[in-house]
Amino acid sequence: SLPAAAAVAVAAAAAAFPSIHLPAPVVVGRRFTTALRPSLPLTKATHSHSHSLGSNAIKRTVEELNQGIADLYDSSSPTWENVWGDHMHHGYYDSGLSFWNALQTDHIAAQVRMIEQTLAWAEVPEEGSGKPRCVLDVGCGIGGSSRHLANKYGSEVKGITLSQWQSQRATALTASAGLSKKVSFQVADALNQPFPDNQFDLVWSMESAEHMPDKQKFLQELTRVAAPGGRIIIVTWCHRDLLPGETSLKVAEQRLLDKICDAYYLPAWYSPSGYVNLAQSMNLQDIKSTDWSDHITPFWPAVLASVFTWKGLFGLLKSGRKTLQGALATVYMVQGYNIGLIKFFLITACKVA
């Protein structure tokens, strides 16, 4: 029933705020809150890995991953836009936000705040010669970031996505916003981009790197198309760095990541240190990174809660199995952040001038 489903959503939200005490009548919610936490001690995996660990997730080729991502976003994006608007990424929230305040937050405004906070953290100039004039939005969704960047900087922006529906919808929304002369979109593979070398002053990847089956090739492509002195910004989901003495994630942790991979057509996850090492190996300059996991806590519980609104449920019924599978996997994302397994990671660097 919808009330029971809503209780599950509230329980998932509460799981992201371990200090919250749910009212006694929420029996279903309490039961699911317990289910969101590991029920058994986490034991070490017996195999050895470094940054990108092996898994028991469904084995998919690169072509299958790309097609799965395209199909998932083709089917889910209309529902997402209807419920959440044109930004398809985490919101930025004050750390330490209470559970009840989080429920009342304007999550769409938080998504815009994520863009602004990221640009400020990366120290992208808003004026003068350092202001980006030509921007690439890698994994552009329906163009929310692209239009924001074009409006903010007056830049020419190109967006790429694997989803034909997203590209077409982004183009339509951009025309409605009167930005067609500055902003354009196309279907393209981020690992084989259709752009010449040294073109973009700012290369922007807001939550697309996690979809890349070859992280080294991905960063090589971002570096190739960046102009000399141009800035690269990557915002992505990672698994935690391994602790001293660890050779792999724990079995329960890897199983949880496998479930997310299966639902969202993700390849093996990467660690924050893995991205830093890649950036260093490519002789990028001014490398800076940070973990904003504390600033995105309310997001996935809010997404899960939106699934169980009438608008969300109606959209899921129209969207089909893959979208429903992705919606239900939000529970795993909540759990991953809650136990410190998933990290919300940012890295920025400049190409040698």
Side-chain angles (χ1 to χ4, degrees):
S1 68
L2 186 63
V8 176
V10 171
F17 296 87
S19 61
I20 190 66
H21 298 285
L22 290 176
V26 188
V27 177
V28 175
R30 184 179 299 149
R31 182 166 68 246
F32 273 85
T33 301
T34 302
L36 289 174
R37 301 176 186 277
S39 57
L40 297 173
L42 298 177
T43 56
K44 282 289 193 68
T46 57
H47 48 278
S48 175
H49 302 277
S50 53
H51 301 298
S52 184
L53 284 79
S55 73
N56 293 313
I58 297 171
K59 305 302 180 186
R60 295 175 171 129
T61 65
V62 172
E63 292 74 19
E64 289 171 335
L65 286 171
N66 286 352
Q67 189 61 55
I69 294 164
D71 291 344
L72 176 62
Y73 283 122
D74 281 348
S75 64
S76 65
S77 294
T79 298
W80 180 275
E81 182 189 359
N82 191 35
V83 176
W84 280 81
D86 62 348
H87 293 287
M88 306 184 74
H89 54 78
H90 284 74
Y92 182 96
Y93 307 84
D94 295 331
S95 59
L97 195 64
S98 72
F99 174 70
W100 299 113
N101 285 338
L103 287 181
Q104 301 171 37
T105 297
D106 183 338
H107 297 288
I108 295 176
Q111 290 176 300
V112 175
R113 188 182 177 194
M114 173 61 74
I115 298 172
E116 286 295 317
Q117 290 290 133
T118 299
L119 293 168
W121 170 80
E123 301 179 272
V124 179
E126 295 189 23
E127 299 177 348
S129 60
K131 183 173 71 170
R133 298 171 307 240
C134 191
V135 177
L136 175 63
D137 185 358
V138 182
C140 60
I142 56 174
S145 290
S146 298
R147 289 184 292 276
H148 188 94
L149 294 167
N151 281 321
K152 183 178 181 67
Y153 297 116
S155 308
E156 176 186 341
V157 183
K158 295 184 184 297
I160 60 173
T161 173
L162 288 172
S163 165
Q164 183 69 46
W165 190 93
Q166 285 187 340
S167 177
Q168 293 173 349
R169 183 60 179 155
T171 299
L173 290 171
T174 299
S176 297
L179 290 170
S180 295
K181 291 184 178 180
K182 285 187 170 294
V183 184
S184 62
F185 303 94
Q186 64 189 97
V187 175
D189 185 351
L191 299 185
N192 295 282
Q193 297 178 25
F195 305 115
D197 297 354
N198 307 317
Q199 183 170 351
F200 300 100
D201 305 312
L202 175 62
V203 178
W204 172 269
S205 170
M206 175 61 75
E207 299 185 43
S208 61
E210 57 271 10
H211 284 297
M212 305 302 163
D214 187 335
K215 302 295 191 287
Q216 181 174 1
K217 179 69 182 302
F218 176 58
L219 196 51
Q220 285 174 340
E221 275 293 271
L222 300 190
T223 303
R224 179 184 68 79
V225 300
R231 179 165 294 279
I232 298 168
I233 300 175
I234 298 174
V235 182
T236 189
W237 322 339
C238 293
H239 68 66
R240 65 173 178 84
D241 279 318
L242 300 183
L243 300 174
E246 286 186 316
T247 57
S248 69
L249 294 177
K250 298 166 185 176
V251 169
E253 291 177 318
Q254 188 62 59
R255 286 174 180 164
L256 181 59
L257 294 184
D258 290 347
K259 293 176 182 178
I260 298 170
C261 288
D262 291 346
Y264 295 137
Y265 292 87
L266 299 180
W269 289 58
Y270 229 53
S271 67
S273 61
Y275 280 103
V276 173
N277 291 340
L278 277 181
Q280 290 172 340
S281 73
M282 295 178 193
N283 297 318
L284 295 173
Q285 297 180 328
D286 302 325
I287 300 170
K288 181 169 71 168
S289 64
T290 192
D291 179 352
W292 277 2
S293 300
D294 289 343
H295 289 289
I296 54 83
T297 303
F299 180 74
W300 283 99
V303 172
L304 184 57
S306 73
V307 168
F308 296 109
T309 62
W310 289 115
K311 184 185 288 188
L313 286 171
F314 181 72
L316 286 178
L317 290 174
K318 289 178 60 179
S319 300
R321 180 186 61 81
K322 286 185 178 180
T323 301
L324 178 60
Q325 177 179 279
L328 296 177
T330 57
V331 173
Y332 304 136
M333 293 296 296
V334 172
Q335 183 182 355
Y337 278 119
N338 193 40
I339 65 175
L341 169 62
I342 300 177
K343 300 297 182 181
F344 191 79
F345 178 70
L346 291 76
I347 183 169
T348 185
C350 291
K351 186 173 178 176
V352 175

